[in-house]
Amino acid sequence: MKFARFLFLTSATAMSLGAMGVGASASELRETALEYFRPLPSTVPAVADNPITEEKIDLGKALFFDPRLSASGVFSCYSCHNLTTGGDDNMETSVGHGWQKGPRNSPTVFNAVFNEAQFWDGRAADLKAQAKGPIQAGVEMANTPENVVATLNSMGQYVDWFTAAFPEEGDPVSFDNMAKAIEAFEATLLTPAPFDAWLNGDDNAMSSDELAGLALFMDKGCVACHSGVNVGGEGYYPFGLIEKPGSDILPEGDMGRFAVTATVDDEYVFRAGPLRNIALTAPYFHSGKVWDLNVAVKIMAESQLGEALSEEDTDQIVAFLGALTGSMPEITTPVLPAETASTPRPRQEVIPN
Amino acid sequence: MKFARFLFLTSATAMSLGAMGVGASASELRETALEYFRPLPSTVPAVADNPITEEKIDLGKALFFDPRLSASGVFSCYSCHNLTTGGDDNMETSVGHGWQKGPRNSPTVFNAVFNEAQFWDGRAADLKAQAKGPIQAGVEMANTPENVVATLNSMGQYVDWFTAAFPEEGDPVSFDNMAKAIEAFEATLLTPAPFDAWLNGDDNAMSSDELAGLALFMDKGCVACHSGVNVGGEGYYPFGLIEKPGSDILPEGDMGRFAVTATVDDEYVFRAGPLRNIALTAPYFHSGKVWDLNVAVKIMAESQLGEALSEEDTDQIVAFLGALTGSMPEITTPVLPAETASTPRPRQEVIPN
């Protein structure tokens, strides 16, 4: 019962932080923060049912960058999860096959391995399940598992890479293994931030404004939904808990997690946005309708907490969010194999449903 | 008079190589090859009117990867000159703004700095002139210089980068300087190949089939158009000199360099394709209609030399072309600055002419 947990956390937050206030000492603030947040680990995290190896990471990187995973040859995972621009595509909703627009804002791939589930409605349990979605979505990459496997099998280098990454399997080149390799690569996409350095004990890693913002973030109750290693991404909450935002921001046609669970309680419920690198990943919300982070913070405070934030409080919370902008991992572009005579050719036509 | 030069070279080739034949010794073959080809230099080449500095290269890399140079936010230089797939996009003609298809096959960016001029019809004198084309083309990135400059000026990091790259200019953020920085980055995209190692004196760098193919490439006269450091890219020649290929391969509506010079002699004249990494950059020709390199070689022999190549000769020439596949430079993805409140937003609508 995520909703019940939210209410519990809200009142617990109010109790534990109300007395502490913004003026608490650094060590008190850190102690409280560590009740809600965890720093990024220094190593690649383990994922369920998919032991991560160097071979899988290398293969996954190749796949992540390969536009031939799309029917058209235009889009790769990288297209909408652009590693140069915060791991997303900096537009309202993504442009896909046939110039169609996707229904929701593309989330960042950085640190996504720490989300409880993937997609705005959590319909994929993990990154390997997520990876299969956009490849098959008609408005995104518009491909089929069969065509992907034929594409990969047509290039000897890919067959070798899959064999090295899945050495104990008789038929290593499969859609499932493609997804596992992509998950392995994505699990390496971690961006340690000043907030991590501060959580790890470096008092000088964050400015006084950023620390004041952190205290406010906990005091006001933002932490009720945005906690854990990703400062979000861990639970489901109704957007508009206290006051529903306008349909410009919360389009009526997108009922969120209701589409997954068919439970009335899940109407307009979404996974809390993970906030690492949020300063790099405008526009905001599942609808991608808000470009200004200050405005997004105010909307959240009103709709979820019923509070009109002052300009100063908003600025400080935004300063704290800036301390979640991490160092990007060094990524070298892979060298992909060339097509062969048996590689399926790009298909750019749009087939009506 | 490119055409006269072609005839001269053809007869000169026939004279100098006819006696030598395929069985010539390695040193004789190398001596002859060095009359026509030059190995890649070991350093970044100088370009006209644009001293190359580390600051320019770094800025150029950021710009090359930045999809915000397109009106839609979908396409960067990298989209059609994909550094993971041979520097092109592996499709007939590129897909651009509004899912429109471009008129000609995207050429590779690798080693393009050595081409005499840019585009299939040579209408850009160099890479800095070329870089401005696709950004403004309605079927490609559909942007305007004004919007690009506004985009770059909206991000302080870009202003700093331009200032560092053009330190003596009062107004460093300009469309011209954007193009110069992109040219500087592109000039670093060199791919030394086994053919270079062999030209530089390593007898073991190429196989006997590859060397036999090289001898045939010179003997048959391919070298008349495909010479120099890029094994092509240095002159203009009519496609279909001896026998015009069918309109499936040479579409009648694309008159090539005629559109640049309005000279009847330039009807269906194109810049000879630079052949480095040709094995990675199918499909072939300006029309992108041929996926099989063996077929492309046969078409060239028939249309340009009036010769029907045997299977064996074709295989050996293709083996030689394989020795032009180079080592890709190690490229780390840049970290681009985030948009600000004043950054122009993506515009994905298609405006009719």
Side-chain angles (χ1 to χ4, degrees):
Chain A
M1 283 292 293
K2 298 294 175 188
F3 189 58
R5 177 176 160 226
F6 170 79
L7 291 177
F8 167 75
L9 273 174
T10 306
S11 60
T13 303
M15 282 187 292
S16 67
L17 294 176
M20 193 187 72
V22 175
S25 77
S27 66
E28 281 174 312
L29 189 65
R30 181 177 290 119
E31 200 177 316
T32 310
L34 284 168
E35 289 175 26
Y36 298 106
F37 306 109
R38 293 191 309 284
L40 277 183
S42 60
T43 53
V44 174
V47 295
D49 190 30
N50 187 18
I52 294 180
T53 62
E54 284 302 318
E55 290 80 5
K56 255 184 227 176
I57 292 170
D58 290 347
L59 169 60
K61 183 166 85 167
L63 293 164
F64 186 88
F65 276 88
D66 201 328
R68 293 165 303 193
L69 293 194
S70 63
S72 66
V74 173
F75 303 109
S76 64
C77 306
Y78 171 91
S79 301
C80 300
H81 302 289
N82 190 317
L83 302 178
T84 73
T85 56
D88 72 339
D89 61 5
N90 305 115
M91 58 185 76
E92 200 171 286
T93 66
S94 301
V95 170
H97 191 85
W99 211 248
Q100 297 172 88
K101 294 202 75 171
R104 292 186 190 139
N105 183 259
S106 169
T108 181
V109 69
F110 286 116
N111 314 297
V113 65
F114 296 111
N115 295 332
E116 179 182 314
Q118 304 300 328
F119 294 116
W120 280 96
D121 54 15
R123 67 185 184 275
D126 53 27
L127 289 169
K128 63 180 146 312
Q130 187 279 334
K132 298 179 189 176
I135 293 175
Q136 298 179 79
V139 300
E140 298 185 62
M141 294 163 81
N143 215 340
T144 63
E146 296 70 30
N147 198 58
V148 168
V149 170
T151 298
L152 297 170
N153 266 321
S154 74
M155 294 177 264
Q157 178 69 80
Y158 264 122
V159 175
D160 291 348
W161 282 338
F162 271 91
T163 305
F166 300 93
E168 287 166 21
E169 300 192 19
D171 190 17
V173 184
S174 67
F175 197 59
D176 280 350
N177 285 346
M178 172 211 73
K180 285 182 174 177
I182 291 172
E183 177 177 59
F185 170 62
E186 291 179 339
T188 70
L189 300 178
L190 310 186
T191 67
F195 184 50
D196 297 294
W198 183 85
L199 283 175
N200 287 332
D202 180 357
D203 286 340
N204 299 316
M206 286 169 65
S207 72
S208 56
D209 263 351
E210 290 165 356
L211 290 172
L214 165 62
L216 282 168
F217 192 85
M218 297 191 290
D219 253 352
K220 299 286 183 189
C222 313
V223 76
C225 301
H226 297 282
S227 61
V229 69
N230 262 358
V231 194
E234 286 201 339
Y236 304 96
Y237 307 96
F239 190 2
L241 179 64
I242 305 296
E243 190 178 322
K244 230 178 183 176
S247 62
D248 51 331
I249 288 162
L250 181 64
E252 288 181 13
D254 185 351
M255 304 262 278
R257 195 162 164 77
F258 176 77
V260 181
T261 64
T263 303
V264 174
D265 281 355
D266 281 336
E267 283 182 5
Y268 301 108
V269 163
F270 294 89
R271 194 195 58 184
L275 299 185
R276 286 184 180 270
N277 300 302
I278 194 73
L280 306 179
T281 59
Y284 301 112
F285 304 130
H286 65 287
S287 57
K289 291 291 186 187
V290 175
W291 283 85
D292 185 319
L293 188 50
N294 286 56
V295 173
V297 166
K298 283 181 181 166
I299 290 172
M300 277 280 106
E302 281 164 26
S303 63
Q304 306 303 96
L305 303 168
E307 174 150 357
L309 286 182
S310 70
E311 291 300 329
E312 190 193 352
D313 284 0
T314 308
D315 286 347
Q316 288 185 329
I317 288 173
V318 167
F320 162 61
L321 295 176
L324 301 176
T325 299
S327 307
M328 297 293 141
E330 185 161 299
I331 298 157
T332 56
T333 52
V335 177
L336 303 181
E339 298 89 346
T340 66
S342 63
T343 306
R345 301 304 174 213
R347 288 172 292 106
Q348 285 143 5
E349 71 279 13
V350 179
I351 297 158
N353 287 329
Chain B
M1 282 293 293
K2 299 292 176 187
F3 189 56
R5 178 176 161 227
F6 170 79
L7 291 177
F8 167 76
L9 274 175
T10 306
S11 59
T13 304
M15 283 188 290
S16 67
L17 295 176
M20 194 188 71
V22 176
S25 76
S27 67
E28 282 174 310
L29 188 64
R30 182 177 290 119
E31 200 177 315
T32 310
L34 284 168
E35 290 175 25
Y36 299 106
F37 306 108
R38 294 190 309 285
L40 277 183
S42 60
T43 53
V44 174
V47 294
D49 191 28
N50 187 18
I52 293 180
T53 62
E54 284 302 319
E55 289 80 5
K56 258 186 223 174
I57 292 170
D58 289 347
L59 169 60
K61 183 166 85 167
L63 293 165
F64 186 87
F65 276 88
D66 200 328
R68 293 165 302 194
L69 293 194
S70 63
S72 66
V74 173
F75 303 109
S76 64
C77 306
Y78 171 91
S79 301
C80 299
H81 303 289
N82 190 315
L83 302 178
T84 73
T85 56
D88 73 337
D89 61 5
N90 304 119
M91 56 185 75
E92 200 171 287
T93 66
S94 300
V95 170
H97 191 85
W99 212 248
Q100 298 172 88
K101 294 201 76 171
R104 293 187 189 138
N105 183 259
S106 168
T108 181
V109 70
F110 286 117
N111 315 296
V113 66
F114 296 111
N115 294 332
E116 178 182 315
Q118 305 299 329
F119 294 117
W120 281 95
D121 54 15
R123 68 184 182 275
D126 52 28
L127 288 169
K128 63 179 145 310
Q130 188 279 334
K132 298 179 188 176
I135 293 175
Q136 299 178 78
V139 300
E140 298 185 63
M141 296 163 81
N143 215 339
T144 62
E146 296 69 31
N147 198 58
V148 167
V149 170
T151 298
L152 297 171
N153 267 320
S154 74
M155 294 177 264
Q157 178 70 80
Y158 264 121
V159 176
D160 290 349
W161 282 338
F162 271 91
T163 305
F166 300 94
E168 287 166 21
E169 300 192 19
D171 190 16
V173 184
S174 67
F175 198 58
D176 279 351
N177 284 347
M178 171 212 74
K180 284 183 174 177
I182 291 172
E183 177 178 57
F185 170 63
E186 290 179 340
T188 70
L189 300 177
L190 311 186
T191 67
F195 183 50
D196 297 294
W198 183 84
L199 283 176
N200 287 332
D202 180 356
D203 286 339
N204 300 316
M206 286 170 64
S207 72
S208 56
D209 263 350
E210 290 165 356
L211 290 172
L214 165 62
L216 282 168
F217 192 85
M218 298 192 289
D219 253 351
K220 299 286 185 191
C222 313
V223 76
C225 301
H226 298 281
S227 61
V229 69
N230 262 358
V231 194
E234 287 201 339
Y236 304 96
Y237 307 96
F239 190 1
L241 179 63
I242 306 295
E243 191 179 318
K244 230 178 185 179
S247 62
D248 51 331
I249 288 162
L250 181 63
E252 288 181 14
D254 185 351
M255 305 262 277
R257 195 162 164 76
F258 175 76
V260 180
T261 64
T263 303
V264 175
D265 281 356
D266 281 336
E267 283 182 6
Y268 302 108
V269 163
F270 294 88
R271 193 194 58 183
L275 299 184
R276 285 184 180 271
N277 300 302
I278 193 74
L280 306 179
T281 59
Y284 302 112
F285 303 130
H286 65 287
S287 58
K289 291 291 185 187
V290 174
W291 283 85
D292 186 318
L293 187 51
N294 286 56
V295 173
V297 166
K298 283 182 183 166
I299 289 172
M300 277 280 107
E302 281 164 27
S303 63
Q304 307 304 96
L305 304 168
E307 173 150 358
L309 286 181
S310 71
E311 291 300 329
E312 192 193 350
D313 284 0
T314 308
D315 287 347
Q316 288 184 329
I317 288 173
V318 168
F320 162 62
L321 296 176
L324 301 176
T325 299
S327 307
M328 297 292 141
E330 185 162 299
I331 298 156
T332 55
T333 52
V335 178
L336 303 181
E339 297 89 347
T340 66
S342 62
T343 306
R345 302 303 174 212
R347 287 173 291 106
Q348 285 144 4
E349 71 277 15
V350 179
I351 298 158
N353 287 330

